[in-house]
Amino acid sequence: MKLCDLFNREKTLVSFEIFPPKQTVTLESIFKTTEGLQTLNPDFISITYGAGGSASDRTLETADKVKNTYHVEALAHLTCINSQKDDIDTVLNQLQAHNIQNILAMRGDYPLDKGSLKNMTTTFPYAKNLIAHIKSQHDFCIAAAAYPEGHLECPNLAEDTVHLKEKVDSGTDFLITQIFFDNAVLYNFLDRIRQANITVPVCAGIMPLLNSRQVARIHGLCGASIPKPLQSIIEKYENSPNDFEKAGIEYACNQITDLIAHKVDGIHLYTMNKLEQSKTIIQETGLR
Ligand code: FAD
């Protein structure tokens, strides 16, 4: 099923993001997590793509399991930053052969190691080029990434909105947002993009902070700002891991409850492959 057909309804969609473990580990653990997530009856599960296209076979294998063993719609992530058209077409044809009909199409991040930049070749410089290609040559429902606080490389929100509009106009069916910890940030983003005539559905990306190590990492990776109430939690429970996790889950639940009240199109939970914590959040918020 194409996910774009699911958005015409009153209820908030629920989706989970999972990542295949690194190459040295078998996929059994993620299959087990998926089996557990499936019992929560999500509308779809998305599967990340290794940076720069590494381990694309793992995304395919996991997406195949999600869709064909657990019978949950799969959204396979795909990045183009270090790939030629033929590489991309190979992955798309493989996905299609496994009956995966939904792609989250992205550019991907530049590698931190500047040396490897020299060896990089790409047919599609931006996600919008990849999306236009998929739309014209293949038959998928296409999601794209959106950044309520602006993408880290973009100088200002106005320019970010212009680029988002180009990306949507090139064939995006719906958007999934980067993590945010302040719902006002999302509501401002929605106002901004609706004014720019970007009308596709938006799934709001929520990640519970479960430990203090995550904080610096998340901020460094995606630039999500930490509002005062969350900062207080971080400081209060820095040295009490159990209390930190409990408070982080409660914070995410409060965010979700407010988002549902504001009738967002979907809640996309970045599960970090944590089954029990994801179950708690879905049950506490009454999403299932
Ligand atoms: P684009 O939309 O191409 O934008 C990249 C930058 O270029 C932005 O700053 C944009 O404003 C700018 N830009 C766009 N067009 C132009 C133009 N014409 N001229 C100048 N500037 C322009 N990464 C992975 O490697 N694997 C994953 O599985 C993965 N999953 C993700 C899931 C979600 C929900 C999100 C939000 C991100 C995910 N990422 C993933 C990270 C993503 O790859 C990075 O954020 C990446 O840096 C940008 O990808 P994009 O598709 O948004 O890029």
Side-chain angles (χ1 to χ4, degrees), residues 152-166:
L152 280 177
E153 289 165 35
C154 203
N156 57 63
L157 294 179
E159 200 172 310
D160 209 53
T161 308
V162 169
H163 294 318
L164 184 62
K165 171 91 172 111
E166 292 166 354

Side-chain angles (χ1 to χ4, degrees), residues 84-147:
Q84 298 292 316
K85 175 182 171 297
D86 287 352
D87 308 322
I88 294 289
D89 283 337
T90 301
V91 176
L92 291 169
N93 290 333
Q94 286 170 335
L95 288 167
Q96 201 152 28
H98 286 81
N99 198 23
I100 315 282
Q101 294 171 281
N102 307 287
I103 307 277
L104 173 52
M106 287 164 294
R107 183 200 68 180
D109 282 321
Y110 284 107
L112 294 174
D113 160 29
K114 298 283 175 228
S116 51
L117 273 176
K118 277 187 260 149
N119 305 322
M120 280 179 54
T121 52
T122 179
T123 309
F124 308 109
Y126 295 110
K128 67 179 173 194
N129 309 109
L130 172 65
I131 290 165
H133 170 69
I134 300 174
K135 208 69 184 179
S136 66
Q137 309 276 316
H138 298 267
D139 181 25
F140 286 97
C141 163
I142 305 174
Y147 304 86

Side-chain angles (χ1 to χ4, degrees), residues 201-221:
V202 176
C203 295
I206 295 292
M207 179 189 275
L209 275 185
L210 299 176
N211 58 64
S212 54
R213 292 184 310 281
Q214 254 180 301
V215 180
R217 199 168 160 267
I218 285 171
H219 184 70
L221 275 179

Side-chain angles (χ1 to χ4, degrees), residues 15-21 29-30 33-34 37 45-48 77 178-179 181 205-215 217-218 221 244-245 248-249 252 268-279 281:
S15 55
F16 299 129
E17 179 171 307
I18 58 173
F19 59 89
S29 63
I30 194 60
T33 304
T34 308
L37 291 173
I45 294 180
S46 86
I47 305 97
T48 64
H77 296 204
Q178 185 55 278
I179 303 154
F181 296 108
I206 295 292
M207 179 189 275
L209 275 185
L210 299 176
N211 58 64
S212 54
R213 292 184 310 281
Q214 254 180 301
V215 180
R217 199 168 160 267
I218 285 171
L221 275 179
F244 194 114
E245 179 171 315
I249 287 176
H268 185 70
L269 189 66
Y270 291 85
T271 69
M272 297 166 291
N273 298 351
K274 304 270 189 204
L275 177 58
E276 290 313 316
Q277 292 84 343
S278 303
K279 273 186 178 169
I281 290 170

Side-chain angles (χ1 to χ4, degrees), residues 212 233-241 244:
S212 54
I233 290 173
I234 293 166
E235 284 162 16
K236 187 168 175 192
Y237 298 120
E238 208 171 3
N239 299 313
S240 328
F244 194 114

